[in-house]
């Protein structure tokens, strides 16, 4: 009798082991949309925890209705089954350092360097087009690179391999600062002046097209300039070297004030409330949390502060609809959609006035 019981226990154990093995050998899915939200639950009402690009291969853990449970960057989330297809291979060295480093060259006009392998991680800097970086690891379509005195992550989609490397020369060159002594002229219609060399630094003012300022240093595609009795930083992409004389500081001030007066004249006269919010910018298409296509005029909000579907006016942006959410959009923060990456870089992060219409 005892022997029969033991046989049953062993048989049950064998079945359990077989189930575990089957689960461990989970299938993969490949993203087919240009940009796909990964959410905390199976539905558009759940918050976005990150986004993944077209071609990204994800480990499939299961399904819930029309949603697929996946593993991304060591975390679990859900993606719409409509925008993935079965199959695809992931690298066995994902989330691990490569045994041999290699160099890549940036193909985008400007590429964010982030703290982790995903757009949900904070931006710690940027690399301009043709800049090189040393790759030491790979994770779900992202390269771990040497950056400054540490490491950062860039999307592999916007790079091309240039060969292997055994040194960190690309790291030092990408983060080095060189002194310059010449004037530069603004080529963009409006250009933010920031506290530091990167879009994650606060905006302290703006310059209009044709303004000429004195550049004293250049770092990571940014100029350090003399600005209103102090210093600031502007993107070198939107400025060119010139022999023209520096324009007066009052020109910069008038540029800022004219933008404010324009916003004020467009603002609604009837609204329920208006408050100061912090605004960020994003692009890439996809589907919003409300099920609508992402496009200009549809912005991401914290639904606890601004309900989805609300009609808004945002200074410096215009009339828009609260249509999306995001893992980093909490409290008095709004994320504004733009058509191009360069527009996002130019807008950066700034304070805006949000008018709640209805």
């Amino acid at each position: 009798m005892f022997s029969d019981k033991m046989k049953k226990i062993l048989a049950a154990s064998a079945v359990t082991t077989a189930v575990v093995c089957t689960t461990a050998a989970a299938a993969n899915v490949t993203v087919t949309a240009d940009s796909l939200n990964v959410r905390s639950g199976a539905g558009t009402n759940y918050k976005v925890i990150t986004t993944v690009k077209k071609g990204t291969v994800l480990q499939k853990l299961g399904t819930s209705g029309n949603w697929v449970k996946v593993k991304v960057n060591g975390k679990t989330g859900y993606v719409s089954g409509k925008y993935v297809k079965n199959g695809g291979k992931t690298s066995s060295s994902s989330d691990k350092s490569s045994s041999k480093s290699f160099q890549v060259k940036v193909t985008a006009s400007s590429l964010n360097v982030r703290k982790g392998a995903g757009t949900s991680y904070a931006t710690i800097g940027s690399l301009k087009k043709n800049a090189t970086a040393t790759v030491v690891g790979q994770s779900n379509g992202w390269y771990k690179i040497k950056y400054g005195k540490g490491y950062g992550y860039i999307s592999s989609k916007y790079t091309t391999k240039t060969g292997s490397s055994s040194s960190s020369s690309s790291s030092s060159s990408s983060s080095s600062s060189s002194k310059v002594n010449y004037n530069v002229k603004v080529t963009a219609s409006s250009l933010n002046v920031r506290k530091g060399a990167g879009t994650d630094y606060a905006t302290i003012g703006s310059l209009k097209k044709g303004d000429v300022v004195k550049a004293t240093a250049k770092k990571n595609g940014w100029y350090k300039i003399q600005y209103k009795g102090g210093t600031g930083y502007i993107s070198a992409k939107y400025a060119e070297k010139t022999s023209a004389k520096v324009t007066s500081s009052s020109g910069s001030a008038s540029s800022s004030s004219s933008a404010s007066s324009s916003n004020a004249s467009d603002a609604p006269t009837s609204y329920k409330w208006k408050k100061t919010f912090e605004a960020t910018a994003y692009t890439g298409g996809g589907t919003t949390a409300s099920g609508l296509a992402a496009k200009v005029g549809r912005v991401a909000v914290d639904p606890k502060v601004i309900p989805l579907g609300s009609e808004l006016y945002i200074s410096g942006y215009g009339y828009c609809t609260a249509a999306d959410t995001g893992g980093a959009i909490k409290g008095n923060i709004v994320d504004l959609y733009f058509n191009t990456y360069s527009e996002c870089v130019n807008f950066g992060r700034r304070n805006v006035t949000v008018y709640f219409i209805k």
Side-chain angles (χ1 to χ4, degrees), residues 141-348:
W142 290 76
Y143 284 140
K144 181 179 181 180
I145 64 168
K146 293 180 180 179
Y147 188 73
K149 295 181 179 180
Y151 298 94
Y153 290 82
I154 58 175
S155 172
S156 61
K157 182 179 178 180
Y158 304 105
T159 65
T160 182
K161 288 185 179 180
T162 61
S164 60
S165 171
S166 59
S167 68
S168 59
S169 59
S170 64
S171 172
S172 59
S173 63
S174 65
S175 61
S176 62
S177 177
S178 58
K179 291 184 178 181
V180 300
N181 185 24
Y182 49 76
N183 296 341
V184 293
K185 181 172 66 176
V186 175
T187 57
S189 57
S190 180
L191 183 60
N192 286 333
V193 182
R194 299 182 178 277
K195 285 186 177 181
T199 55
D200 52 331
Y201 289 92
T203 301
I204 58 176
S206 65
L207 299 169
K208 66 178 184 294
K209 188 173 184 178
D211 280 345
V212 178
V213 292
K214 179 68 171 292
T216 60
K218 191 174 183 181
K219 179 180 180 181
N220 295 337
W222 290 76
Y223 280 128
K224 183 178 182 181
I225 63 169
Q226 295 177 355
Y227 183 70
K228 294 184 179 180
T231 59
Y233 291 81
I234 59 173
S235 172
K237 181 182 176 183
Y238 304 104
E240 61 184 12
K241 192 174 178 180
T242 181
S243 58
K245 293 183 179 180
V246 173
T247 54
S248 64
S249 60
S250 60
S252 299
S254 63
S255 171
S256 176
S257 61
S258 63
S260 299
S261 62
S262 173
N263 291 334
S265 63
D266 293 338
T269 56
S270 177
Y271 49 88
K272 291 186 177 181
W273 54 258
K274 69 174 182 177
K275 296 179 183 178
T276 299
F277 278 61
E278 183 179 14
T280 54
Y282 75 108
T283 190
T287 305
T288 65
S290 56
L292 301 172
K295 68 175 187 178
V296 174
R298 292 173 180 165
V299 302
V301 300
D302 182 348
K304 293 181 180 179
V305 179
I306 300 175
L308 290 178
S310 299
E311 293 183 16
L312 312 169
Y313 175 86
I314 299 177
S315 61
Y317 187 74
Y319 290 90
C320 52
T321 303
D324 206 359
T325 60
I329 312 304
K330 301 295 182 185
N332 289 5
I333 299 178
V334 289
D335 203 13
L336 314 182
Y337 189 90
F338 287 88
N339 284 326
T340 64
Y341 179 79
S342 60
E343 288 177 295
C344 293
V345 171
N346 193 37
F347 183 86

